[in-house]
Amino acid sequence: MSPILGAASPPDALVRDFANDVRRDLALTPKQIQSKYLYDALGSCLFEAISRLPWYRITRAEGKLLGRCSQDVVASLADPLTLIELGCGSGEKVAMLAEALSRRRRPASVHLIDISPTALELSERTLGRFEHVSVVGHRATYEEGLRRVAGQRSGNGAVLVLFLGSNIGNFDPPAAHEFLSEIRGSLRPGDGLLLGADLVKPEPALLAAYDDPLGVTAAFNKNLLARMNRELAADFDLAAFAHRAVWNREHSRVEMHLVSRRAQQVTIPKADCTVRFDAEEFIWTENSYKYAPEQIVAMGVAAGFRARQQWIEPDARFALTLFVAE
Ligand code: AVJ
């Protein structure tokens, strides 16, 4: 059996949360499932594959910017620096900052916060190679993890929160404001926030990124159905659903849907429900908001930060913005 799918099944409490959320959100109109559920062990690997696709440019564009600006980012922050990455993926990005610090022999600690054990393991391995850098992984939601790390802090060093990869794009505008305010609330004046956010670009480029010709994003999206079959004993016929990406210009977001190819009924025993689909009815599985550069600055300012610097990758259209808590 593969190491991924052979891994222990998730703890009962997590399965119960998943079941409750599925039952509630599939009863909404339109039917929905929260995008955080895309990231089980297999889903995390599929996202990792997406990040290497030529059509999905966010990860590479951000890496390129980080390579150029990492010294500038850490230059103004007080030692010993604490880096907190929210949603660490494979840890390669925080590693670029750790590298910048380690080159100057500046001591630092890194806290990784992710709900995916796979992501934490990968990241801990990636960061293992730096001297002067201690690494702690937290399997937690962003909010829980932030609170935990902020509550433990001592001394005079600054904290730099990393919220990268356009993960902010999964939040609708009110939730993004609330979340940035919550980050600000856990920081002190002089601490930093490095925010990576994808920019609006022509529709064909957006659609190719979220509906790639290799079908990896389709697999990533349909894995939600496979996950419900695995964890909730559901009987979704994966072939009876199609992946769809749409650009919602009015709301400036790409939406991912799973569209029922025909009228059908699905049972989800561990969520205690039976769900009926009309032909063409869909489950809405993700929003990825896209921004104008000045909109990103405005979001940070509204949450109590000052924008210190913004770097833009002009080809892929992606922005890194360094904010400082006032
Ligand atoms: C990891 C949330 C930033 O929205 O671009 C990739 C996830 N979804 N392809 C994004 C994703 C479809 C990604 N984020």
Side-chain angles (χ1 to χ4, degrees):
M1 213 182 291
S2 84
I4 295 287
L5 294 178
S9 49
D12 286 350
L14 293 183
V15 174
R16 219 165 320 119
D17 290 346
F18 183 33
N20 288 334
D21 288 346
V22 162
R23 182 174 47 244
R24 186 195 59 211
D25 294 347
L26 288 184
L28 299 173
T29 311
K31 294 177 167 65
Q32 308 174 25
I33 295 181
Q34 295 172 59
S35 56
K36 67 176 182 186
Y37 290 116
L38 290 163
Y39 302 92
D40 65 350
L42 178 56
S44 296
C45 289
L46 289 168
F47 176 68
E48 190 61 31
I50 288 172
S51 72
R52 290 158 203 248
L53 296 174
W55 306 277
Y56 187 84
R57 302 178 66 183
I58 288 180
T59 316
R60 277 182 309 276
E62 188 170 54
K64 199 157 135 194
L65 286 180
L66 271 174
R68 266 195 255 138
C69 74
S70 57
Q71 284 301 350
D72 290 347
V73 169
V74 294
S76 60
L77 298 162
D79 286 331
L81 194 56
T82 301
L83 302 177
I84 305 178
E85 184 167 29
L86 306 174
C88 54
S90 63
E92 276 160 44
K93 294 166 187 172
V94 64
M96 298 180 81
L97 292 169
E99 165 111 66
L101 291 162
S102 163
R103 241 185 284 140
R104 311 244 145 149
R105 299 199 150 59
R106 291 173 60 182
S109 46
V110 176
H111 292 265
L112 304 162
I113 298 171
D114 208 297
I115 46 172
S116 156
T118 316
L120 290 170
E121 273 163 40
L122 277 171
S123 302
E124 283 168 23
R125 218 177 305 153
T126 308
L127 287 161
R129 61 188 148 105
F130 300 110
E131 283 178 71
H132 314 290
V133 176
S134 68
V135 182
V136 187
H138 304 267
R139 184 178 186 189
T141 62
Y142 298 149
E143 291 87 347
E144 277 165 16
L146 254 181
R147 241 174 283 137
R148 212 185 292 167
V149 180
Q152 292 170 356
R153 93 187 266 192
S154 61
N156 307 318
V159 166
L160 175 64
V161 172
L162 308 174
F163 195 37
L164 299 175
S166 211
N167 284 333
I168 185 79
N170 281 165
F171 293 92
D172 64 19
H177 174 72
E178 193 181 321
F179 186 59
L180 293 177
S181 302
E182 198 165 329
I183 293 176
R184 175 62 191 86
S186 70
L187 297 178
R188 298 179 189 158
D191 290 341
L193 165 66
L194 186 64
L195 184 66
D198 202 20
L199 302 176
V200 175
K201 63 205 84 201
E203 182 168 350
L206 288 168
L207 294 182
Y210 290 87
D211 191 3
D212 65 89
L214 278 174
V216 183
T217 310
F220 174 65
N221 198 9
K222 284 189 182 183
N223 177 52
L224 264 179
L225 304 178
R227 180 177 183 179
M228 287 189 274
N229 288 352
R230 285 192 293 269
E231 294 182 19
L232 306 178
D235 60 359
F236 281 96
D237 173 4
L238 272 54
F241 288 84
H243 166 69
R244 177 170 74 193
V246 293
W247 169 236
N248 184 329
R249 189 183 310 275
E250 187 195 340
H251 291 284
S252 195
R253 68 190 182 212
V254 177
E255 299 176 5
M256 287 207 311
H257 300 163
L258 288 162
V259 188
S260 178
R261 296 183 194 271
R262 50 177 164 79
Q264 57 183 316
Q265 185 173 300
V266 177
T267 59
I268 315 178
K270 292 194 180 170
D272 268 325
C273 64
T274 300
V275 186
R276 235 176 271 283
F277 290 87
D278 293 330
E280 297 301 313
E281 190 177 359
F282 63 91
I283 308 175
W284 182 7
T285 54
E286 189 182 48
N287 287 326
S288 294
Y289 283 83
K290 306 298 170 184
Y291 308 91
E294 58 278 10
Q295 235 179 328
I296 301 167
V297 169
M299 278 197 292
V301 168
F305 290 97
R306 186 165 49 78
R308 174 161 291 168
Q309 207 172 339
Q310 187 171 59
W311 297 267
I312 291 178
E313 205 287 309
D315 303 321
R317 301 290 302 151
F318 184 87
L320 270 180
T321 310
L322 177 62
F323 292 99
V324 179
E326 298 221 89

